Amino acid sequence: MSAPVYTLDQISKTYNTRRVLEVEQLAIQKGEILALVGPSGAGKSTLLRLLNFLEQPTQGKIQFHAFEFSVDKEPPLDVRRRVTMVFQHPMLLNRSVEANVKYGLELRGIRDTQERVKQALAEVGLEHIPNQKANTLSGGEAQRVALARAIVMQPEVLLLDEPTANLDPYNVGLIEKIILHLNQQYGTTLVLVTHNVFQAKRLAQRVAFLLDGKVIEVSDAETFFNHPQDPRTAAFVRGDMVY
Amino acid sequence: MSEELLEIIILSLQVSGVALLISALIGIPIGVFLGLNRFTGRRLLIALMYTGMGFPPVVIGLFVYLVLSRSGPLGSLNLPFIPALFTPAAMVVAQSIISFPLVAGFTMAAVMGVDKRLRQQVMALGATKQQAALTVLMEARIGVVVAIIAGFGGIISEVGAVMMVGGNIEGRTRVLTTAIVLSTRQGDFNLAIALGLILLAITFLVNVAMLRLQGKSFDE
């Protein structure tokens, strides 16, 4: 296996006095789909924000390729722009679908956006409504626009924070297909936070189980679901409470 | 008379227009800053800004009068860019001070009304802090235009400050509000009423123009 995209070393994140994340070691490989599963408050979303460089760890180092970041060394803009995130709520701008999708390109000063926007909208099956206002879309359509807005920038890493929570099965299916296609076609590294064990099973090559801010277990999907090493992972996979 | 009236109308629009531009350039960034950042002393600044939103124009007039007068701290410096008393520029200074806390206060409220998660999303898409602030401001545009309208309303109708620092000098610093005061005092009620109606009409037209600024999103 080639060098990992991310290497986390003795990371912790504290808000006020509450420690919400404490990861000793975690590597994220290039081109993989890694699912982060665990109950609410386990630190999954915090971990994603750190991976997106939206926040810095309180302690420890995050290595992204050859760059190393810590609390007093924030990543430069061009590094930050190689990673993006789609959240549970689509958070579209009060503009047209097209204007939303090209937003990230405009931030980067890219002028010639038309073809790329068209292609990204086609990928999510919304090429027929570029001029529709974002606030008139259904929940599933809005989330697909949010996905198009991320993939149009051809990010090296795409972070997904519960991207299909609250969506109907049809849209869940569509979005999962887009995610898989992105990974297979472009080799995009994907980190997916999900509550849904079945979704992790369908999509992920590796799965990490988080509990109380700690990574309890991380292994390939087959091992994770069929032969979990930790009894708490086993309980979670079975659908039992682990608190 | 009609030429004189036209001059008064034009000066009113010039003074309040330039003052509004200045207070928008100062007030909108302050509003965005106070709306998006959390820091020690923020509450104190907001309390001061709220006070400024309700400050009596005549007190601002007095303050500007004292500062700009020949014996005042700025007036005595005799610098070219510091306006002299009883000039339109002095009136602009006073009206800018009256107007900018209104613009800042309503802008802050508008910006704080935008979902916090939007800024995080925009940052995740690769925005710099400035780009994110600008995007949030664009999302809050309806409220920001209301802020500008409030700022304009606060000064186009204002009489105390322009009277004090302008002096209501015929052909030089007379504006609609001070002309109304004068003609009422002189017992020329017809003229006072006519001037009042002109002021109302101008305010209405300016606000219609501003409503257009809010764009189509206003109808959704």
Side-chain angles (χ1 to χ4, degrees), chain B residues 61-78 81-94 97 165:
Chain B
L62 173 66
F63 168 76
V64 174
Y65 187 99
L66 293 174
V67 168
L68 293 184
S69 77
R70 288 252 169 80
S71 53
L74 289 183
S76 58
L77 296 175
N78 223 354
F81 56 86
I82 292 172
L85 273 180
F86 312 122
T87 61
M91 295 153 78
V92 167
V93 170
I97 296 174
V165 303

Side-chain angles (χ1 to χ4, degrees), chain A residues 49-107:
Chain A
R49 283 199 297 276
L50 293 182
L51 295 177
N52 203 173
F53 312 114
L54 292 173
E55 292 172 22
Q56 307 305 319
T58 315
Q59 279 171 345
K61 282 179 295 197
I62 295 182
Q63 196 179 330
F64 179 74
H65 293 289
F67 310 99
E68 218 168 63
F69 306 112
S70 57
V71 67
D72 42 31
K73 189 164 183 295
E74 293 189 23
L77 189 61
D78 58 325
V79 169
R80 195 153 68 74
R81 283 182 170 171
R82 291 161 71 175
V83 183
T84 191
M85 174 142 53
V86 172
F87 294 86
Q88 178 178 346
H89 193 283
M91 277 296 141
L92 298 180
L93 302 167
N94 186 11
R95 306 177 186 181
S96 70
V97 166
E98 188 183 15
N100 266 284
V101 177
K102 73 177 175 193
Y103 175 78
L105 297 175
E106 285 177 340
L107 291 179

Side-chain angles (χ1 to χ4, degrees), chain A residues 21-159:
Chain A
L21 193 68
E22 206 172 354
V23 178
E24 287 179 10
Q25 295 289 334
L26 182 67
I28 297 169
Q29 305 299 333
K30 187 169 173 48
E32 75 167 337
I33 302 182
L34 172 69
L36 305 176
V37 298
S40 321
K44 307 185 296 290
S45 298
T46 305
L47 180 53
L48 278 199
R49 283 199 297 276
L50 293 182
L51 295 177
N52 203 173
F53 312 114
L54 292 173
E55 292 172 22
Q56 307 305 319
T58 315
Q59 279 171 345
K61 282 179 295 197
I62 295 182
Q63 196 179 330
F64 179 74
H65 293 289
F67 310 99
E68 218 168 63
F69 306 112
S70 57
V71 67
D72 42 31
K73 189 164 183 295
E74 293 189 23
L77 189 61
D78 58 325
V79 169
R80 195 153 68 74
R81 283 182 170 171
R82 291 161 71 175
V83 183
T84 191
M85 174 142 53
V86 172
F87 294 86
Q88 178 178 346
H89 193 283
M91 277 296 141
L92 298 180
L93 302 167
N94 186 11
R95 306 177 186 181
S96 70
V97 166
E98 188 183 15
N100 266 284
V101 177
K102 73 177 175 193
Y103 175 78
L105 297 175
E106 285 177 340
L107 291 179
R108 288 159 176 73
I110 298 168
R111 289 280 171 79
D112 202 12
T113 57
Q114 208 174 0
E115 204 44 50
R116 285 173 74 171
V117 168
K118 222 167 123 184
Q119 203 186 333
L121 280 174
E123 297 234 18
V124 300
L126 293 174
E127 66 275 27
H128 53 291
I129 50 165
N131 299 319
Q132 196 169 328
K133 290 286 290 187
N135 56 12
T136 62
L137 299 171
S138 72
E141 287 169 338
Q143 191 60 302
R144 278 147 63 198
V145 171
L147 206 52
R149 179 171 66 176
I151 64 182
V152 75
M153 301 183 293
Q154 296 162 349
E156 190 183 326
V157 180
L158 178 60
L159 308 167

Side-chain angles (χ1 to χ4, degrees), chain B residues 9-30:
Chain B
I9 293 171
I10 289 171
L11 186 67
S12 297
L13 285 173
Q14 275 176 341
V15 168
S16 295
V18 173
L20 184 65
L21 189 69
I22 292 171
S23 47
L25 290 176
I26 299 171
I28 291 174
I30 291 177

